[in-house]
Amino acid sequence: MSLKAKVEDRSARIAVVGQGYVGLPLAVEFARAGFQVTGIDSDGSRVQALANGDSHIPDVASADLRALLATGHYAATADPAALAGQDAVVLCVPTPLRKSKDPDVSHVVAAAGDVARHVAPGQLVVLESTTYPGTTEEVLLPLFEQRGLKVGVDFYLAFSPERIDPGNPTWKVKEIPKLVGGVTAACTEMAALLYRQVVARVFELSNPRVAELAKLYENTFRSVNIALANELALICHHLGVSVWEVVEAAATKPFGFMPFSPGPGIGGHCIPIDPFYLSWKARLDGYEAKFIGLADEINRTMPRFVISLLTDALNARGKPLKGARILVLGVSYKREVGDTRESPAVDIIEELLRKGAHVQYADPFVPTLTVHGRVFDSARVNRELLQWSDAALILTDHRAFDYATIVAESPLVIDTRNATRECPAPAGRVVRL
Ligand SMILES: NC(=O)c1ccc[n+]([C@@H]2O[C@H](COP(=O)([O-])OP(=O)(O)OC[C@H]3O[C@@H](n4cnc5c(N)ncnc54)[C@H](O)[C@@H]3O)[C@@H](O)[C@H]2O)c1
């Protein structure tokens, strides 16, 4: 039976390598559509939890996972030998940066090496990890060709960037349009056919580089526009104007403008990291990308600016930061998720501790947080805690926080997200970015 026929009647066996924020929701979607899915992850304890039906991803309910395990449509394993006999393999492994800010594609190379060792004629291999343009053709393709297979004939290879937005209740795997760029036309066609089984709209591109670049452009676009909003916040601070009101005012223009919000800094995997995959590749080719470095520089000044806002507000009350009691509200990098990767809150807490402040934090999505080897437990926000603090510092605007009470009970509130905009406050109580 051809791969096309197996995909169309959903008897194809699919392996998803990497069961994190990207791989697990995708595996679940394929399993729901009736495919036989194996989630492969090198992290044994993660696999054990998944095999027990415990999801670590908020977008995947454990109950749904258990139902799929019970029907046999989903299984999790740490054993790469499970790659043998798969009809399609999708790679969703991490692509971090090295300390030097150069791309680290070692996980992609390791996972693709495993796939190549087990590749069988007729197999489709798709890379979803965000990476620099050329990875699919320069890094992955040779691994398969070394085994004597001809791409587009003996096997199919494509890049299809993941665009998932963890914690977003509106845009899930099914609804987010998918880009597909195959090494040959037959590769594009086969990968697009697979994704059309679970995604409403699939766009076919002429090659993997376009798909790799499109993803990096999307994330660079966000980084640059967030940086512009952050720079506007710095300018507004000097001019004594509310940046929030300026952004809202500009956003009334129904064309040619898209609002971005300032904040305490950027976090998560995509915005702080991915643009460097693009500038690194451009540099190899002799071109120095300017926007990317500048945007990163501005975004990285924000944690320090937040600390200066806090220090000045305390100072105005005759209180030094040293010895002050600071309650940090929200430590994940964005609203409604528990992800603290690259979160500016970690840098801010580190600096507060360095300067001798006493810090507690509360985050309904992050039960514990390790800063400089010290483990903090999330506190319960109540009147006593708010009154204990010299200042409440809002870094993530989770919906669960009761902002009216926070403003009413805290002696001082530093609000970096405009979360308290509708809360009545005595003059000088709330300092906004
Ligand atoms: N998280 C997001 O919001 C998001 C959005 C779009 C794209 N991406 C991209 O998707 C990719 C994956 O990101 P993520 O957030 O899912 O990462 P993650 O860290 O949540 O998950 C990756 C998983 O891969 C596993 N892994 C690593 N090497 C492996 C190997 N050789 N074999 C098997 N398993 C391996 C890890 O144990 C981990 O469980 C990255 O390239 C990222 O840039 C992420």
Side-chain angles (χ1 to χ4, degrees), residues 27-84:
V28 162
E29 217 46 63
F30 278 128
R32 272 201 196 115
F35 290 98
Q36 208 70 34
V37 180
T38 307
I40 302 178
D41 200 291
S42 52
D43 179 339
S45 56
R46 181 161 282 184
V47 164
Q48 193 53 54
L50 291 172
N52 291 337
D54 293 327
S55 166
H56 57 286
I57 302 292
D59 295 332
V60 173
S62 292
D64 293 348
L65 192 62
R66 283 184 197 139
L68 293 168
L69 283 161
T71 60
H73 280 288
Y74 176 80
T77 178
D79 187 358
L83 286 162

Side-chain angles (χ1 to χ4, degrees), residues 204-220:
E204 296 181 26
L205 307 173
S206 54
N207 58 62
R209 274 165 205 258
V210 176
E212 289 160 340
L213 267 165
K215 170 69 187 180
L216 294 178
Y217 180 49
E218 289 166 18
N219 287 356
T220 302

